[in-house]
Amino acid sequence: QVHLQESGPGLVKPSETLSLTCTVSGGSVSTTSYYWGWFRQPPGKGLEWIGTIYEAVSTFYNPSLKSRVTISADTSKNELSLRLSSVTAADTALYYCARELRGAAAGVNADSWGQGTLVTVSS
Amino acid sequence: QSALTQPASVSGSPGQSITISCTGTSSDVGSFNLVSWYQQHPGKAPKLMTYEVSKRPSGVSNRFSGSKSGNTASLTISGLQAEDEADYYCCSYAGSDRVLFGGGTKLTVL
């Protein structure tokens, strides 16, 4: 059974870079069987896909965030990383990492999720 | 990009069936059989209930079924149970690495 756990600062200043880590157990971030994705949910609002990595090196990004997002994987630690630059208050959200069923598209079929970590952007 | 359109709320009594709609366009729901539905209880992470329109992940009750007609996808829950009370989100691929989510539907079990 795969387990995902997000971690990182809960408070980030405007214009700075948000950095989160997702520790994966019970599965490998370099597997060819699944994708690994990041999603977010502003408090009281709906879900948004941020981006996905597969086979530890190839990435898909939400076009609306692409210029600010970097997703990477550390196979030695079996971890995923998310970096979001130039953050504003609009980036305040609960950030989730998730495992995705590999298929025709990324960001659509996330079958296992971490518990999420709240990131607030404020000075 | 616009979100998919879902009713804000639906309700039903235990044992009944309810259907939640998810309306998109010919560029997203209508073009791809890549629609999924998520259930989210308060304070919890989302849970994948159906994917690729009508497939169910292992462990998900067969009381949950997905379908699609034209630009509208639907999630039907039969034999409604108290534990089904949650928020439900639809999701669709929209081409060119675009993924759309609905605004969410709050299901109340009366």
Side-chain angles (χ1 to χ4, degrees):
Chain A
Q1 176 117 1
V2 69
H3 181 74
L4 303 99
Q5 178 68 58
E6 306 87 349
S7 60
L11 182 65
V12 181
K13 290 182 168 56
S15 80
E16 295 190 345
T17 296
L18 177 161
S19 294
L20 296 176
T21 297
C22 174
T23 302
V24 178
S25 56
S28 171
V29 299
S30 57
T31 183
T32 58
S33 300
Y34 295 96
Y35 297 155
W36 304 93
W38 286 94
F39 298 78
R40 68 181 183 178
Q41 185 173 32
K45 296 187 178 180
L47 295 162
E48 181 179 30
W49 172 65
I50 299 171
T52 295
I53 188 167
Y54 69 98
E55 297 180 18
V57 293
S58 299
T59 53
F60 299 102
Y61 294 128
N62 181 331
S64 68
L65 298 170
K66 187 173 185 175
S67 64
R68 299 194 292 130
V69 174
T70 302
I71 293 174
S72 60
D74 184 332
T75 56
S76 67
K77 297 180 180 178
N78 213 36
E79 291 179 345
L80 309 169
S81 294
L82 169 69
R83 288 174 57 86
L84 181 66
S85 63
S86 304
V87 297
T88 69
D91 296 309
T92 292
L94 190 58
Y95 284 77
Y96 293 100
C97 59
R99 187 184 75 176
E100 300 180 34
L101 301 175
R102 184 158 182 165
V108 185
N109 303 328
D111 74 330
S112 294
W113 295 65
Q115 65 185 25
T117 187
L118 180 62
V119 178
T120 300
V121 178
S122 175
S123 55
Chain B
Q1 55 215 30
S2 301
L4 305 174
T5 301
Q6 299 180 232
S9 63
V10 298
S11 62
S13 299
Q16 286 186 331
S17 293
I18 63 96
T19 296
I20 302 172
S21 62
C22 171
T23 302
T25 70
S26 58
S27 298
D28 38 71
V29 174
S31 285
F32 305 96
N33 287 325
L34 295 173
V35 177
S36 53
W37 286 91
Y38 294 89
Q39 175 193 66
Q40 187 176 35
H41 288 107
K44 300 295 187 182
K47 176 183 178 183
L48 183 66
M49 306 305 285
T50 67
Y51 67 101
E52 292 176 9
V53 177
S54 58
K55 295 180 181 178
R56 266 188 311 273
S58 174
V60 171
S61 170
N62 59 9
R63 296 187 299 107
F64 292 83
S65 62
S67 62
K68 189 184 86 166
S69 177
N71 298 336
T72 299
S74 300
L75 175 71
T76 298
I77 308 174
S78 59
L80 207 57
Q81 299 179 0
E83 67 206 50
D84 300 332
E85 186 162 294
D87 293 328
Y88 290 84
Y89 294 93
C90 63
C91 175
S92 176
Y93 184 64
S96 301
D97 290 348
R98 292 179 302 128
V99 174
L100 302 179
F101 279 91
T105 298
K106 181 176 180 60
L107 169 62
T108 301
V109 180
L110 301 170

